Structures are given as C-alpha cells and as structure tokens.
Amino acid sequence: MDTTTTLLTLHPFTVADAERMLSGEVDPRDGWEGGYAFTDEPELLSEYVQAVHENGDPAPFGPYLVRRAHDGATIGGVNLFGPPDDAGAVEFAFGLVPAVRGQGLALHTVLEAVELARRAGATTARADCELANLPARRALENAGLAEVSRSGDSLTYEIRL
C-alpha cells in the first residue's frame, strides 16, 4: 500500500517491478527524474527477487519507490531492512536523484521511512551514512536521528520510536 504525503509517495516495490527492470523494460510511469533508476543497481534488484522467492513478500519491509506527489515522477528509493532485530531496530537506506536534491525532499523521505518502521513495530530506526555525505547527514539529523557511532568514513544514526 502506498504511503502518501503532501510532497511524496512511497510505493512498495514489487517482484514484477524488479523483474521488469532487470529485463531492461522501463515503464513510462516509473518517471525516473534525472535519469536514475534501480536498473543502475541490478544487484539490489536481483537480491530483492531472490529474497522474495526464498522468504516471501517482506512487506512492509523491503524497497520502496519514492515518487514526487505533484507529478508522480520517481525520484529515488528507500529500503527498510527488516523485520526488527532482537533489540527492536530496523535499518533503512535512502537515495534521491541529483535533480531533486536541495528541495527538502530528503527530509520528508527520511521522516516517512521512520514512520514506516514505527508502524511495522520497530522501536528504533537506524541508518548508516558516509561521513562525506553532508546532505544525507543533514536530512537524518533534521528528522531527529542522532549519531550513535562512527567507523572509518561511515556514521550510524538512530532514533527511538
């Protein structure tokens, strides 16, 4: 089921979406503002398809397409890695196309990812980020996540839900 806000929609990715993209077929509804698509990351698509075949549909966990609300263009993705671990934490990752950066959409994407994790029963949402990725760090921090650890050039952020 889609999660829609004023600015964006998170659309759960399906096996049909993944298989279509792996075959090279692009649906005009995918949008892909700025030319980015999951087809640039075939290993993510293959891993998702394999996981579904082995373990069933992970919903509400798994990949989501991030679409801009006013025109439906796909502008990025979110992945919720779940179910919650023994401590109740769910990790997520997000990315937006370069063409929409600087518009505040990353913050809204993070807020919706955190909300999805909360609704799925997580007590903590966690995200890793490269130290050099200042825009992503800013989005995570503005969404209320706090740095909890550093390892090399990577930071881990968390928020209690």
Side-chain angles (χ1 to χ4, degrees), residues 3 14 17 46 49 55 59 63 65 84 96 108 113 119 139 145 151:
T3 300
T14 66
D17 290 330
S46 296
V49 170
N55 305 311
L65 299 173
L96 298 180
H108 291 277
R119 284 197 317 255
L145 284 83
S151 177

Side-chain angles (χ1 to χ4, degrees), residues 3-161:
T3 300
T4 302
T5 71
T6 305
L7 297 177
L8 51 87
T9 295
L10 271 59
H11 172 74
F13 212 62
T14 66
V15 170
D17 290 330
E19 289 174 339
R20 177 176 46 77
M21 289 182 177
L22 281 168
S23 74
E25 183 183 335
V26 177
D27 186 326
R29 292 176 299 137
D30 289 339
W32 296 112
E33 175 88 16
Y36 174 85
F38 279 118
T39 53
D40 295 339
E41 300 171 7
E43 68 281 355
L44 295 177
L45 296 174
S46 296
E47 289 171 9
Y48 170 68
V49 170
Q50 180 179 349
V52 170
H53 289 309
E54 290 175 1
N55 305 311
D57 185 352
F61 306 103
Y64 288 77
L65 299 173
V66 178
R67 293 184 171 146
R68 195 170 37 215
H70 78 272
D71 63 2
T74 302
I75 59 169
V78 168
N79 201 345
L80 267 68
F81 305 98
D85 65 17
D86 292 340
V90 168
E91 186 172 337
F92 71 94
F94 72 99
L96 298 180
V97 297
V100 300
R101 292 184 185 152
Q103 299 175 25
L105 296 171
L107 172 59
H108 291 277
T109 300
V110 170
L111 289 169
E112 288 310 306
V114 167
E115 180 59 18
L116 284 170
R118 186 195 63 73
R119 284 197 317 255
T123 57
T124 301
R126 177 181 303 132
D128 289 332
C129 183
E130 292 179 4
L131 184 62
N133 191 342
L134 295 176
R137 290 172 54 191
R138 218 172 7 257
L140 291 165
E141 292 165 1
N142 288 339
L145 284 83
E147 180 185 335
V148 294
S149 67
R150 287 182 184 221
S151 177
D153 64 351
S154 180
L155 304 169
T156 300
Y157 287 86
E158 288 185 354
I159 187 170
R160 296 281 300 156
L161 306 175

